[in-house]
Coordinates of all heavy atoms in Angstrom, one line a residue:
Chain O
I47 N 70.7 253.5 -127.0 CA 69.4 254.3 -127.2 C 69.3 254.9 -128.5 O 68.1 255.1 -129.0 CB 69.2 255.3 -126.0 CG1 70.4 256.3 -126.0 CG2 69.0 254.6 -124.7 CD1 70.2 257.5 -125.1
I48 N 70.3 255.3 -129.1 CA 70.3 255.9 -130.4 C 71.7 256.0 -131.0 O 72.7 256.0 -130.2 CB 69.7 257.3 -130.4 CG1 69.3 257.8 -131.8 CG2 70.6 258.3 -129.7 CD1 68.3 259.0 -131.8
D49 N 71.9 256.0 -132.3 CA 73.2 256.1 -132.9 C 73.1 256.9 -134.2 O 72.0 257.1 -134.7 CB 73.9 254.7 -133.1 CG 73.0 253.8 -134.0 OD1 72.0 254.2 -134.5 OD2 73.4 252.6 -134.1
I50 N 74.2 257.4 -134.6 CA 74.2 258.2 -135.8 C 75.5 257.9 -136.6 O 76.5 257.7 -136.0 CB 74.0 259.7 -135.5 CG1 73.8 260.5 -136.8 CG2 75.3 260.3 -134.8 CD1 73.3 261.9 -136.5
R51 N 75.4 257.9 -137.9 CA 76.6 257.8 -138.7 C 76.9 259.1 -139.4 O 76.1 260.0 -139.5 CB 76.3 256.6 -139.7 CG 75.9 255.3 -139.1 CD 75.6 254.2 -140.1 NE 75.1 253.1 -139.3 CZ 74.7 252.0 -139.9 NH1 74.7 251.9 -141.3 NH2 74.3 250.9 -139.3
S52 N 78.1 259.1 -139.9 CA 78.7 260.4 -140.3 C 78.1 260.9 -141.6 O 78.3 262.1 -141.9 CB 80.2 260.3 -140.5 OG 80.5 259.3 -141.5
N53 N 77.3 260.1 -142.3 CA 76.6 260.6 -143.5 C 75.3 261.3 -143.2 O 74.5 261.6 -144.1 CB 76.4 259.5 -144.5 CG 75.6 258.3 -143.9 OD1 75.5 258.2 -142.7 ND2 75.0 257.6 -144.8
V54 N 75.0 261.4 -141.8 CA 73.7 261.9 -141.4 C 73.9 263.0 -140.4 O 74.8 262.9 -139.6 CB 72.8 260.8 -140.8 CG1 71.5 261.4 -140.2 CG2 72.5 259.8 -141.8
G55 N 73.2 264.1 -140.5 CA 73.4 265.2 -139.6 C 72.6 265.2 -138.3 O 72.9 265.8 -137.3
E56 N 71.4 264.5 -138.4 CA 70.5 264.4 -137.3 C 69.7 263.2 -137.4 O 69.3 262.7 -138.5 CB 69.6 265.7 -137.3 CG 68.6 265.8 -136.2 CD 67.8 267.0 -136.1 OE1 68.1 267.9 -137.0 OE2 67.0 267.2 -135.2
K57 N 69.3 262.6 -136.3 CA 68.5 261.5 -136.2 C 67.6 261.6 -135.0 O 68.0 262.0 -133.9 CB 69.3 260.2 -136.1 CG 68.6 258.9 -136.2 CD 69.5 257.7 -136.1 CE 68.8 256.4 -136.1 NZ 69.8 255.3 -136.1
K58 N 66.3 261.2 -135.2 CA 65.4 261.3 -134.1 C 64.6 260.0 -133.9 O 64.3 259.3 -134.8 CB 64.4 262.5 -134.4 CG 63.5 262.8 -133.2 CD 62.6 264.1 -133.6 CE 61.8 264.5 -132.4 NZ 60.9 265.7 -132.6
D59 N 64.3 259.7 -132.6 CA 63.5 258.6 -132.3 C 62.6 258.9 -131.1 O 63.1 259.0 -129.9 CB 64.4 257.4 -131.9 CG 63.6 256.1 -131.6 OD1 62.4 256.1 -131.7 OD2 64.2 255.1 -131.2
Q60 N 61.4 259.3 -131.4 CA 60.5 259.7 -130.3 C 61.0 260.9 -129.6 O 61.2 262.0 -130.1 CB 60.1 258.6 -129.4 CG 59.4 257.4 -130.2 CD 59.0 256.3 -129.3 OE1 59.4 256.1 -128.2 NE2 58.1 255.4 -129.9
R61 N 61.3 260.8 -128.3 CA 61.7 261.9 -127.5 C 63.3 262.1 -127.5 O 63.8 263.0 -126.9 CB 61.3 261.7 -126.0 CG 59.8 261.7 -125.8 CD 59.5 261.6 -124.3 NE 60.0 260.4 -123.6 CZ 61.0 260.4 -122.8 NH1 61.7 261.5 -122.5 NH2 61.4 259.3 -122.2
I62 N 64.0 261.3 -128.2 CA 65.4 261.4 -128.3 C 65.9 261.7 -129.6 O 65.3 261.2 -130.6 CB 66.0 260.0 -127.8 CG1 65.6 259.6 -126.4 CG2 67.5 259.9 -128.0 CD1 66.0 258.2 -126.0

Side-chain angles (χ1 to χ4, degrees):
Chain O
I47 56 171
I48 196 167
D49 56 8
I50 192 168
R51 301 176 186 180
S52 58
N53 59 336
V54 176
E56 183 174 357
K57 183 177 179 181
K58 189 173 182 180
D59 182 4
Q60 299 183 343
R61 298 186 296 108
I62 296 173

